[in-house]
Amino acid sequence: MVEKIYITYNDVHKLCQESAVKILSDFEPNLMIAIGGGGYVPARILRSFLKRAGSPNIPIQAIGLSLYEQLPEMDPKSGTSTPGAVEQIGHRVTRTQWLDLSSLGGMENLVGKRILIVDEVDDTRTTLEYAVKELEKDVEAVRQKLGSTEETRFAIFVLHNKDKPKKGTLPSSIMTEHNYHASRTVDDVWICYPWEALDIEEHDELARKQTNTSGSAN
Amino acid sequence: MVEKIYITYNDVHKLCQESAVKILSDFEPNLMIAIGGGGYVPARILRSFLKRAGSPNIPIQAIGLSLYEQLPEMDPKSGTSTPGAVEQIGHRVTRTQWLDLSSLGGMENLVGKRILIVDEVDDTRTTLEYAVKELEKDVEAVRQKLGSTEETRFAIFVLHNKDKPKKGTLPSSIMTEHNYHASRTVDDVWICYPWEALDIEEHDELARKQTNTSGSAN
């Protein structure tokens, strides 16, 4: 049986609060991109803690990505791995919403920025790989159009990273201490986030009782 | 001194859970539009409770709106109300992100849909008026392009409606029992949402202590 860990809202809040300190000192983002729906809650909380006194809020753009894990990863005919599976990763992720910077100076405005991509969990890494690749592609296109040499930097924040073999990969420029921020690294467990709880009191009670407190902010 | 009320995350969760029952029976949305950043958390929670067994999640589109309340509402020269202030409402709201339905069949896909607009609070109603007007405009444009007679219905969900004179107005088609859903109606108080709390334990303690429990889910 897969072990379950229960995360309360206050855990999520404290994880964001704790990580914000490091994100501010390591990366200082000027734009957040929240991957919906899992990234919505952490992104909103994080915004409170990334705000510097006297400065405006860091803008959040939401993107929507759906992962179709049910699609075959093996060639149904030969039974072997499909060649070019890495290139096919895009086929397993569907965009439901993408950036809209038309009121923020257009996509050109991404050039030279420090962009923090926010999701709740780094599980198979497939969604994150897709998001980073597509965003880098978009930025590269406008950078070339502008003839700019300014660099755009990406970083990632997730509440939990699952310590497991990943299907997706992230550029080595992101997988650094300063650019990859997971509040907690956990085993390959079933993470029960509070926004999915049908009985939030019982959920909190289970969180209090869990003996394995990895993943908890306490 | 303006009275403050403290809302815990579990309050927010329960308010969404409670309202979802009514929203499902009254409106049955097939798309949610979350007004960011305040609408992100309620929209994500609401999605859990609007999901019907065996059906996919209701998609969420995020839009970003910023309210510039500091802009003058009086003509600075004459000191009188600016004529056409209603038309000027758009000038006090700035879009930071808008719909992107390019992967969901385009804006045409809005025609004939039941769309639930989600925000955390109905305060001056300015943002909600802007959102509804602009969305209706977009829908009307594609409806005419398609020559469709199908109606698109809008409804609103907010955690709290402040009982105060509103600057914005909503169409009478929305201000009905079935289409306007505020989990709680409160006086014109200062609502402290948990995602803004610098000390979430203290915030919860203040919520527990507050004698006036209007706005609380308990």
Side-chain angles (χ1 to χ4, degrees):
Chain A
M1 212 180 89
V2 182
E3 191 200 342
K4 284 185 181 178
I5 59 170
Y6 293 87
I7 311 296
T8 69
Y9 282 110
N10 285 11
D11 289 337
V12 172
H13 189 89
K14 289 177 199 169
L15 291 174
C16 291
Q17 185 165 20
E18 180 191 293
S19 291
V21 178
K22 197 162 178 304
I23 292 169
L24 270 180
S25 80
D26 288 358
F27 189 70
E28 250 191 300
N30 31 39
L31 175 68
M32 263 192 280
I33 295 181
I35 302 180
Y40 285 170
V41 179
R44 177 57 193 86
I45 298 172
L46 205 56
R47 196 179 79 174
S48 298
F49 294 112
L50 292 180
K51 188 178 181 343
R52 291 187 189 274
S55 299
N57 275 316
I58 294 175
I60 307 177
Q61 286 269 316
I63 60 174
L65 298 176
S66 277
L67 187 60
Y68 289 101
E69 284 289 8
Q70 69 273 26
L71 290 188
E73 295 191 67
M74 302 284 275
D75 182 332
K77 282 178 197 150
S78 68
T80 60
S81 277
T82 314
V86 172
E87 283 73 26
Q88 290 197 355
I89 208 163
H91 298 284
R92 289 193 271 130
V93 179
T94 301
R95 289 184 187 193
T96 54
Q97 179 166 26
W98 201 243
L99 304 178
D100 167 23
L101 276 85
S102 49
S103 314
L104 297 175
M107 295 294 277
E108 292 83 350
N109 198 28
L110 294 180
V111 175
K113 290 292 192 299
R114 293 179 304 279
I115 301 171
L116 183 69
I117 300 167
V118 179
D119 208 347
E120 91 273 52
V121 64
D122 179 352
D123 186 350
T124 62
R125 203 164 276 173
T126 309
T127 313
L128 287 170
E129 168 173 335
Y130 179 90
V132 169
K133 276 196 174 159
E134 295 296 301
L135 290 168
E136 283 187 336
K137 221 186 283 174
D138 283 3
V139 167
E140 187 52 27
V142 278
R143 217 179 52 78
Q144 292 203 354
K145 201 179 87 182
L146 296 174
S148 167
T149 54
E150 273 197 288
E151 201 197 353
T152 298
R153 284 176 56 201
F154 290 97
I156 282 173
F157 170 70
V158 290
L159 297 168
H160 297 96
N161 174 33
K162 290 191 186 176
D163 186 14
K164 63 189 278 190
K166 303 293 189 183
K167 295 178 187 169
T169 52
L170 291 169
S172 56
S173 60
I174 286 187
M175 292 310 294
T176 69
E177 202 201 327
H178 291 319
N179 293 336
Y180 181 85
H181 299 269
S183 297
R184 292 290 182 275
T185 298
V186 296
D187 294 337
D188 190 9
V189 294
W190 182 343
I191 306 175
C192 301
Y193 287 107
W195 42 85
E196 305 216 313
L198 293 179
D199 182 337
I200 193 66
E201 301 289 352
E202 184 195 52
H203 177 95
D204 284 9
E205 190 54 33
L206 289 165
R208 262 192 296 272
K209 278 185 190 163
Q210 68 200 357
T211 46
N212 180 349
T213 56
S214 69
S216 156
N218 297 311
Chain B
M1 210 180 89
V2 181
E3 191 199 342
K4 283 185 180 181
I5 59 170
Y6 293 87
I7 311 296
T8 69
Y9 282 109
N10 285 11
D11 288 337
V12 172
H13 189 89
K14 289 177 199 168
L15 291 173
C16 290
Q17 184 164 21
E18 180 192 292
S19 290
V21 178
K22 199 163 178 303
I23 292 169
L24 270 179
S25 81
D26 286 357
F27 188 69
E28 250 190 300
N30 30 40
L31 175 69
M32 263 191 281
I33 295 180
I35 303 179
Y40 285 170
V41 179
R44 177 57 194 87
I45 299 171
L46 204 57
R47 196 178 79 173
S48 298
F49 294 112
L50 292 180
K51 188 178 181 345
R52 290 186 189 276
S55 298
N57 276 316
I58 294 175
I60 307 177
Q61 287 268 317
I63 60 174
L65 298 177
S66 277
L67 186 60
Y68 290 101
E69 285 290 7
Q70 70 272 27
L71 292 187
E73 295 191 66
M74 302 284 276
D75 183 330
K77 282 179 197 152
S78 69
T80 58
S81 277
T82 314
V86 172
E87 283 75 24
Q88 291 198 354
I89 207 162
H91 298 285
R92 287 193 271 132
V93 179
T94 301
R95 291 185 186 191
T96 55
Q97 178 167 27
W98 201 242
L99 304 179
D100 167 23
L101 277 86
S102 50
S103 313
L104 299 174
M107 295 294 277
E108 292 82 350
N109 198 28
L110 293 179
V111 174
K113 290 292 191 301
R114 292 178 305 279
I115 300 170
L116 183 68
I117 300 166
V118 179
D119 208 346
E120 92 274 50
V121 63
D122 179 352
D123 186 353
T124 61
R125 201 163 276 173
T126 308
T127 313
L128 286 169
E129 168 173 333
Y130 179 89
V132 169
K133 277 197 173 158
E134 295 296 301
L135 290 168
E136 283 188 335
K137 221 187 282 176
D138 283 3
V139 167
E140 186 53 26
V142 279
R143 216 179 52 77
Q144 291 203 354
K145 200 180 88 180
L146 296 173
S148 167
T149 55
E150 273 196 288
E151 202 198 352
T152 299
R153 283 175 56 199
F154 290 97
I156 282 172
F157 170 70
V158 289
L159 297 167
H160 297 95
N161 174 33
K162 291 191 187 176
D163 186 14
K164 63 190 279 189
K166 303 292 189 183
K167 294 179 187 168
T169 51
L170 291 168
S172 56
S173 59
I174 286 188
M175 293 309 294
T176 69
E177 201 200 329
H178 293 318
N179 294 336
Y180 181 85
H181 299 268
S183 297
R184 293 289 182 276
T185 299
V186 296
D187 292 338
D188 189 9
V189 293
W190 183 344
I191 306 176
C192 302
Y193 288 106
W195 43 83
E196 307 217 312
L198 292 179
D199 181 337
I200 193 67
E201 302 288 353
E202 184 195 53
H203 177 95
D204 283 10
E205 190 53 34
L206 289 165
R208 261 191 298 274
K209 277 185 190 162
Q210 68 199 357
T211 47
N212 179 350
T213 56
S214 68
S216 157
N218 298 310

